[in-house]
């Protein structure tokens, strides 16, 4: 089996310090959390930006500060969110992609989210996809429901998305597919050839789905964005504690853990010298 890529979803858009006192909010805090997660075995950090008061933003300037704060401290792949927060405009959400990060999320459809709707219209998904391909940013296809996997497969078949896609199954959002082993196994059986996948179990689903992904040969996303607790009734110490547990499980199950370089190789992010030149910001 390929080494396990662990993604740390550090902050999210909706959570507050009232819910978790160690939720990283500022670029500095996010950089520190990334370094702790990298030390624990994460090779990707999924990041959201916040204004200093904690409210969500897709400001490219704040994302640039986050990327710099992470890269000063460690070598992990930075994956920016284009999901942002419910209610943001598509143009707002796409802004950090123009920084040409290594990866960005790309949601494959709309889903009820909290009391609102996380809206992803076909025209917007297709525009986001074309921009990411044009800018050399690897999309991670966010799948909250089975129909979204069918959409991803359609875009791959049409050539809008590369066949070497990376899919993240975000399971357990109320309104989306449940965070059960049965749901994950159904989805995994439908994953197209050449495609890698990870799972982000929401809330209590995080631990069992992580264990299942390790044995099924998938990859794992954990972190406070998806789950605030280490176990029922006990807040996680921080993001790194959640990464440490997955790394420990993987070691027990004899699945090696990917370094950032190995993760880049698995995800096809390593470019030849010529391609690096063509990827340089213009
Ligand atoms: N905050 C959610 C509405 C992503 O990062 O791409 C969307 C989200 C997905 O978090
Ligand atoms: Zn996110």
């Amino acid at each position: 089996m390929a080494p396990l890529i662990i993604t740390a979803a550090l902050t999210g858009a909706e959570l507050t310090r009232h819910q978790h006192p160690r939720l990283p909010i500022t670029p500095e805090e996010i950089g520190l959390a990334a370094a702790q997660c990298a030390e624990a075995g994460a090779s990707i950090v999924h990041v959201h930006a916040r204004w200093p008061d904690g409210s969500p933003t897709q400001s490219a300037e704040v994302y640039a500060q986050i990327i710099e704060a992470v890269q000063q401290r460690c070598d992990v792949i930075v994956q920016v969110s284009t999901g942002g927060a419910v209610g943001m405009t598509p143009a707002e959400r796409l802004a950090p992609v123009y920084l040409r990060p290594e990866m960005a999320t790309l949601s494959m459809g709309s889903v009820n989210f909290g009391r609102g709707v996380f809206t992803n219209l076909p025209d917007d998904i297709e525009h986001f996809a074309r921009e990411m391909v044009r800018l050399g940013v690897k999309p991670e296809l966010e799948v909250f429901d089975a129909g979204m996997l069918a959409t991803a497969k359609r875009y791959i078949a049409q050539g809008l998305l590369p066949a070497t896609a990376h899919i993240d199954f975000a399971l357990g959002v109320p309104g989306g597919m449940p965070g059960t082993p049965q749901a994950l196994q159904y989805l995994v059986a439908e994953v197209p050839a050449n495609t890698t996948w990870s799972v982000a179990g929401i809330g209590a689903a995080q631990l069992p789905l992580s264990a299942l992904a390790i044995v099924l040969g998938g990859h794992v996303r954990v972190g406070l964005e998806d789950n605030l607790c280490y176990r029922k009734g006990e807040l996680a110490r921080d993001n790194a504690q959640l990464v440490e547990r997955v790394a420990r499980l993987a070691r027990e199950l004899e699945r090696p853990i990917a370094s950032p370089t190995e993760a880049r190789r698995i995800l096809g992010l390593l470019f030849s010298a010529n391609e690096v030149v063509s990827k340089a910001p213009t």
Side-chain angles (χ1 to χ4, degrees):
M1 264 185 214
L4 177 74
I5 299 171
I6 304 174
T7 299
L10 302 174
T11 301
E14 292 82 15
L15 299 164
T16 67
R17 279 270 171 75
H18 294 296
Q19 291 167 285
H20 197 296
R22 296 195 63 191
L23 185 75
I25 298 280
T26 66
E28 202 67 6
E29 290 165 353
I30 292 173
L32 272 173
Q36 290 161 356
C37 290
E39 182 69 28
S43 48
I44 302 178
V45 288
H46 167 73
V47 295
H48 284 254
R50 305 288 188 102
W51 293 121
D53 70 358
S55 58
T57 174
Q58 288 294 100
S59 155
E61 206 179 321
V62 181
Y63 271 99
Q65 291 168 14
I66 291 170
I67 293 169
E68 195 187 339
V70 173
Q71 289 177 342
Q72 272 172 1
R73 293 174 173 87
C74 55
D75 178 40
V76 285
I77 297 162
V78 179
Q79 177 193 87
V80 302
S81 170
T82 68
V86 167
M88 289 176 167
T89 65
E92 236 180 318
R93 286 168 48 187
L94 195 55
V97 168
Y98 294 99
L99 297 169
R100 297 189 175 201
E102 285 188 276
M103 292 184 81
T105 53
L106 174 57
S107 288
M108 288 288 106
S110 302
V111 62
N112 285 347
F113 202 96
R115 305 304 300 170
V117 182
F118 178 38
T119 304
N120 293 284
L121 295 172
D123 281 351
D124 297 326
I125 300 172
E126 291 162 23
H127 176 59
F128 281 29
R130 286 196 189 93
E131 287 299 80
M132 288 186 203
V133 170
R134 183 177 72 82
L135 294 163
V137 177
K138 170 112 183 175
E140 177 180 274
L141 312 181
E142 303 302 318
V143 166
F144 296 83
D145 214 337
M148 296 189 199
L149 178 57
T151 300
K153 288 167 78 167
R154 195 169 62 247
Y155 286 144
I156 292 167
Q158 289 170 353
L160 182 67
L161 290 169
T164 53
H166 180 63
I167 297 174
D168 179 51
F169 298 120
L171 303 184
V173 172
M177 228 163 149
T180 59
Q182 291 81 356
L184 180 60
Q185 279 174 297
Y186 168 79
L187 294 166
V188 169
E190 297 292 317
V191 165
N194 301 320
T195 301
T196 52
W197 63 271
S198 64
V199 68
I202 307 301
Q206 188 165 85
L207 179 58
L209 293 189
S210 298
L212 188 56
I214 293 169
V215 294
L216 290 178
H219 303 282
V220 171
R221 166 173 142 171
V222 291
L224 297 179
E225 173 170 348
D226 301 332
N227 169 35
L228 292 171
C229 293
Y230 190 75
R231 57 173 67 88
K232 195 170 178 354
E234 181 184 324
L235 285 182
R237 186 194 69 217
D238 54 16
N239 280 292
Q241 189 188 26
L242 297 169
V243 174
E244 283 162 12
R245 175 163 63 181
V246 171
R248 204 162 56 238
L249 274 175
R251 280 192 294 271
E252 286 295 330
L253 293 164
E254 310 236 333
R255 179 100 188 261
I257 294 159
S259 66
T261 304
E262 287 169 325
R264 288 184 175 96
R265 190 168 302 120
I266 293 165
L267 296 168
L269 297 177
L270 289 175
F271 296 91
S272 69
N274 284 347
E275 282 164 321
V276 170
V277 170
S278 70
K279 199 179 182 300
T282 48

